[in-house]
Each structure stands twice: as C-alpha cells, then as structure tokens.
Amino acid sequence: MDQDKSEEFYGRLREQLAESSKWPSNYLYKFIVPTDTAKIKQIQDIFDNTGAVIESKQSKNAKYTSLSITVNLKNPDEVIRKYKEVGEVKGVISL
C-alpha cells in the first residue's frame, strides 16, 4: 500500500472508530502471519505490557498462524499506531 492510500485508509478508519465506539474501548485485531516463531514473538512484543489477550491458531497445514488480539485502548489513534507497528513485520496480513 503506498503512502497516500495508507494515510487515506487510516483517516477513514480513525473516523469510523470514533463514530462507532466509546473510548477507551476493547479492540480486536486479527492478523495472519507465516508460522515463524520470531515473527509471532515480534507481534506479541508489540502488545507486551498492554494487558492484551492474545490467541493463536495454526492453519491446517501449519503454514500460517492466525493471531486474535484483544486489547483495551484509549482512542482510535492508539488502534492505528498498533496497526502501523505490526505492519512493519514482514509477511503479516491484517484483517
């Protein structure tokens, strides 16, 4: 995703989150990542010390792992900040 589209996407997401939720609020992230212990740990470290509940499930052939992360955040900007941090991990798909 190029920079302009990315900022446009996050701007719309910020508006939708502000309208649809009262903050602070629990937010559920869903990511799919190649089953690689280092990448999974990297994502877990991003949510370390946030009180996040992280559930993981491997695909049938164990090639991919899905991560569901529920965390209480103060505002839509915190949600977007975490998406951007996880976006730095190579090979991650955000749902």
Side-chain angles (χ1 to χ4, degrees), residues 57-64:
K57 182 178 176 186
Q58 282 192 351
S59 63
K60 189 167 59 173
N61 63 6
K63 188 174 180 180
Y64 295 98

Side-chain angles (χ1 to χ4, degrees), residues 28-95:
L28 173 64
Y29 291 94
K30 289 193 171 263
F31 303 109
I32 296 176
V33 59
T35 300
D36 175 341
T37 312
K39 288 183 184 194
I40 293 168
K41 176 151 179 24
Q42 201 174 347
I43 293 170
Q44 290 171 334
D45 288 348
I46 290 169
F47 291 93
D48 198 22
N49 297 320
T50 62
V53 177
I54 301 174
E55 297 175 27
S56 63
K57 182 178 176 186
Q58 282 192 351
S59 63
K60 189 167 59 173
N61 63 6
K63 188 174 180 180
Y64 295 98
T65 299
S66 71
L67 296 173
S68 297
I69 303 169
T70 304
V71 62
N72 191 282
L73 298 170
K74 292 181 186 134
N75 56 49
D77 290 329
E78 284 193 347
V79 172
I80 291 166
R81 191 174 313 119
K82 291 294 185 192
Y83 270 123
K84 288 180 176 180
E85 286 180 54
V86 172
E88 298 294 314
V89 181
K90 190 171 170 62
V92 173
I93 299 169
S94 298
L95 302 178

